[in-house]
Amino acid sequence: MPPFLMKELKQNIIRKEQAEQIMHGRLLHMATSAVTKNFSESEDFTLWEEPYKQARKWKTCAAKHSLADEEPDENNNGFILVSANGGLNQQRVAVCNAVVVAALLNATLVLPRFLYSSVWKDTSQFGDIYQEDYFVNYMKGDVRIVKDLPPQLQSLDLEAIGSQITDMDISKEAEPSEFAKSVLPILQQNGVVHFLGFGNRLGFDSVPVHLQRLRCRCNFHALKFVPQLQKAGSLLIQRLRRVGAMQTEMDKQLFGNNMAGQAFAESQTAGAPNRYLALHMRFEEDMVAYSLCDFGGGEEERRELQAYRETHFPALAMRLRNTSVSPEEQRSLGRCPLTPEEAGLVLSALGYDRRTFIYVAGSRIYGGAPRLRPLTRLYPNLVTKEDILTAKELAPFKNFSSRLAALDFIASASADVFSVTDSGSQLSSLVSGYRIYHGRGRAPTLHPNRKRYAQILSEEGSIEWSAFQRRVRQMTAEYKRVSPRPRGRSVYRQPRTPGCMCRAGGDGSVDF
């Protein structure tokens, strides 16, 4: 080939890769061949099944009250206010932790408030997302919950009287004894305390079983989305599955009596399969910027992400001025969120073929279409809620990121397979736990180990596809093993723990 043609060809390849934001060209080429080969072979149904039958032996146990036939006394130590920060899923965790703290301190919980975030930009409050009356009534045997402070306390300046408690005042994942020591005296003196922020302030391992059960009762039973979200969510699932009558335990928990009608038969369902994989792409700009990783975008990417940090994470941006952080080290330690390309490589190594119907959960992907194209090259049947629901159907939730996130929660929880790309994501954590709790051992989750995956990807230049495939399968198989909650892990993510789930014996008995 003449030199000028060779040069032009190389330039075209570079332009195409820039348009597609490719980081792992050699592996992507091999994966493209693999998914095409998988397509020509008979489908492997085990890809859609929970591999370990032991998962079906675990039963839900948190539905019963912690103390039978007893309701909390109105004459208690006072009222607890919580103003929770973060997005939908961080706030969900804060709500259930607040329930436990209220029970721990023998207090009345005021229906939690949600703080406005410059990142999420959502004014939604508890009643815009969850059914208030259902929540209050479901938990009434465990914790007294009211919608507002009594009038005589509403005019108090809680900060001035020392009743405002920030995340700086309570240790992260604090033990119950810390609340009893530092918060209870304030509550008893002033009759009210206000937790401002309340992000991950209560630990897991030191919480007694009867209080751990409250977390699970709250998260897995008491928090029901409002009917408007339930109907939109059920419509989303009907169209994804191409079915009209859903009767699984997961459906009952997510939708109750608020199933959409026969609208599933509309034209949006044309060509849709009856099963799908949900892929949570936690690759929004905030996550990418906070990770301090390099994603192949060069100097332009670095400037853009630093500008985002200056605006949204000023403390982090300040630290970077005085401390050097190595993107390579971040990646080797497993601290970088997977790109759409890297997520696609995992799925192709596991054996999912080009026919696989994938629902992508998450907000706007950083880098847009060019960043998604390597994934759509492998899996063209890629959809989002915006593809399945009409603009009119989504209109009530537009500009409310938490309500849109609730639809992603529903679609991910209901999926035949759920694939995680970021272990630190609250949505991935909560959905994984929800599927364990309500999935009856038939709701598999794919969970790559990012540190091990980074090591595999670092060998891209020499690794053969068969070796890549084998190591990725070993990596994901380890997470699927069925075991009780490991020490230090979240109950919301790993609910196989006393007070939450029980293990059924072969003779029909139930224990932990």
Side-chain angles (χ1 to χ4, degrees):
M1 182 182 292
F4 73 92
L5 287 180
M6 179 66 77
K7 181 179 179 181
E8 184 176 340
L9 178 60
K10 287 182 178 180
Q11 289 174 340
N12 287 337
I13 291 173
I14 291 172
R15 280 195 292 269
K16 183 177 181 181
E17 290 194 351
Q18 288 175 339
E20 292 188 336
Q21 286 286 297
I22 293 173
M23 293 180 65
H24 310 285
R26 180 173 175 270
L27 281 173
L28 185 62
H29 176 74
M30 291 189 288
T32 303
S33 299
V35 295
T36 303
K37 180 182 178 183
N38 293 340
F39 178 81
S40 65
E41 298 175 350
S42 59
E43 189 172 9
D44 184 357
F45 291 100
T46 62
L47 292 171
W48 301 90
E49 298 174 351
E50 180 68 56
Y52 296 105
K53 291 184 179 179
Q54 301 98 304
R56 300 178 190 177
K57 294 183 179 180
W58 287 85
K59 310 298 180 184
T60 63
C61 292
K64 57 184 178 181
H65 292 297
S66 300
L67 299 172
D69 301 323
E70 291 187 23
E71 289 192 12
D73 195 336
E74 289 187 26
N75 297 317
N76 54 30
N77 289 320
F79 294 83
I80 288 180
L81 289 167
V82 171
S83 296
N85 58 16
L88 171 77
N89 300 291
Q90 293 93 327
Q91 290 165 346
R92 185 183 182 106
V93 169
V95 168
C96 294
N97 285 348
V99 165
V100 175
V101 170
L104 174 69
L105 301 181
N106 187 27
T108 296
L109 177 65
V110 180
L111 209 62
R113 299 277 303 169
F114 295 159
L115 295 173
Y116 179 84
S117 164
S118 63
V119 174
W120 301 107
K121 299 178 180 178
D122 190 339
T123 58
S124 297
Q125 289 301 320
F126 188 99
D128 299 314
I129 299 169
Y130 302 111
Q131 297 178 37
E132 291 183 350
D133 291 339
Y134 187 93
F135 177 71
V136 171
N137 290 330
Y138 194 92
M139 299 304 302
K140 69 181 181 181
D142 305 289
V143 176
R144 183 168 178 259
I145 303 174
V146 297
K147 295 186 179 180
D148 295 294
L149 277 175
Q152 68 271 22
L153 295 179
Q154 291 181 12
S155 60
L156 291 177
D157 185 334
L158 299 183
E159 185 176 8
I161 64 173
S163 279
Q164 181 166 290
I165 299 171
T166 70
D167 284 356
M168 298 294 290
D169 303 316
I170 297 288
S171 305
K172 185 176 181 180
E173 297 191 358
E175 295 189 0
S177 58
E178 184 172 341
F179 286 90
K181 180 180 180 180
S182 61
V183 178
L184 183 57
I186 300 173
L187 179 65
Q188 291 173 325
Q189 177 178 330
N190 297 335
V192 58
V193 294
H194 178 205
F195 289 101
L196 183 62
F198 207 58
N200 297 320
R201 293 302 107 179
L202 181 64
F204 295 99
D205 297 327
S206 57
V207 175
V209 172
H210 73 283
L211 294 180
Q212 207 76 283
R213 178 180 286 119
L214 289 192
R215 275 176 154 153
C216 294
R217 281 176 57 74
C218 172
N219 183 52
F220 299 116
H221 294 281
L223 289 176
K224 303 294 185 186
F225 293 122
V226 293
Q228 187 181 44
L229 280 169
Q230 288 181 320
K231 290 177 181 177
S234 69
L235 183 60
L236 177 64
I237 302 309
Q238 287 179 64
R239 288 182 180 160
L240 283 166
R241 288 191 179 282
R242 200 170 53 183
V243 294
M246 298 188 290
Q247 299 176 345
T248 68
E249 178 63 22
M250 192 75 74
D251 301 331
K252 294 174 186 175
Q253 294 298 327
L254 287 170
F255 309 123
N257 297 321
N258 290 307
M259 290 288 298
Q262 296 299 310
F264 77 97
E266 296 177 17
S267 60
Q268 287 89 343
T269 63
N274 56 13
R275 65 183 172 199
Y276 68 97
L277 180 150
L279 174 66
H280 180 217
M281 283 307 317
R282 187 66 172 96
F283 201 72
E284 296 94 341
E285 189 169 13
D286 66 310
M287 183 66 184
V288 173
Y290 197 82
S291 73
L292 306 180
C293 298
D294 188 336
F295 297 97
E299 187 59 33
E300 181 180 353
E301 176 188 283
R302 285 189 283 274
R303 285 198 303 268
E304 188 174 74
L305 295 179
Q306 181 58 23
Y308 187 92
R309 293 183 201 106
E310 296 283 353
T311 301
H312 299 285
F313 306 125
L316 177 61
M318 178 70 72
R319 180 162 66 87
L320 289 176
R321 295 192 190 103
N322 304 314
T323 307
S324 174
V325 176
S326 165
E328 293 78 15
E329 183 179 3
Q330 291 289 95
R331 187 168 296 278
S332 68
L333 293 172
R335 294 174 180 170
C336 300
L338 300 193
T339 66
E341 176 190 4
E342 290 166 342
L345 290 174
V346 170
L347 297 179
S348 58
L350 293 175
Y352 291 95
D353 64 41
R354 283 177 61 81
R355 292 169 293 190
T356 305
F357 202 78
I358 299 177
Y359 176 90
V360 178
S363 302
R364 186 177 299 175
I365 300 297
Y366 176 69
R371 187 65 76 174
L372 269 173
R373 283 191 190 111
L375 177 59
T376 55
R377 183 203 292 193
L378 296 172
Y379 297 102
N381 295 321
L382 209 69
V383 297
T384 64
K385 54 186 170 292
E386 289 79 10
D387 299 312
I388 302 298
L389 298 176
T390 66
K392 182 178 180 181
E393 290 162 347
L394 282 171
F397 318 115
K398 187 179 180 182
N399 299 324
F400 296 103
S401 61
S402 290
R403 300 180 213 183
L404 292 172
L407 295 178
D408 279 338
F409 183 103
I410 289 169
S412 298
S414 297
D416 296 274
V417 175
F418 176 53
S419 183
V420 175
T421 61
D422 174 35
S423 58
S425 160
Q426 285 283 17
L427 184 141
S428 291
S429 177
L430 289 170
V431 168
S432 296
Y434 205 88
R435 288 168 64 82
I436 290 173
Y437 191 85
H438 288 302
R440 297 187 172 184
R442 294 178 173 85
T445 295
L446 307 177
H447 198 294
N449 181 310
R450 289 188 300 177
K451 186 174 182 179
R452 287 184 59 184
Y453 191 37
Q455 175 60 42
I456 298 170
L457 290 175
S458 71
E459 301 172 28
E460 176 185 358
S462 59
I463 195 169
E464 294 301 323
W465 181 253
S466 58
F468 178 79
Q469 190 177 51
R470 172 176 51 79
R471 290 171 66 180
V472 167
R473 291 184 179 190
Q474 289 174 344
M475 173 185 71
T476 54
E478 288 180 6
Y479 180 82
K480 291 183 179 180
R481 292 190 181 127
V482 179
S483 63
R485 178 185 70 91
R487 184 171 179 81
R489 294 295 178 87
S490 165
V491 170
Y492 304 114
R493 177 175 169 181
Q494 301 275 9
R496 296 187 186 105
T497 194
C500 198
M501 296 187 77
C502 309
R503 187 164 40 198
D507 59 356
S509 62
V510 176
D511 60 18
F512 183 78

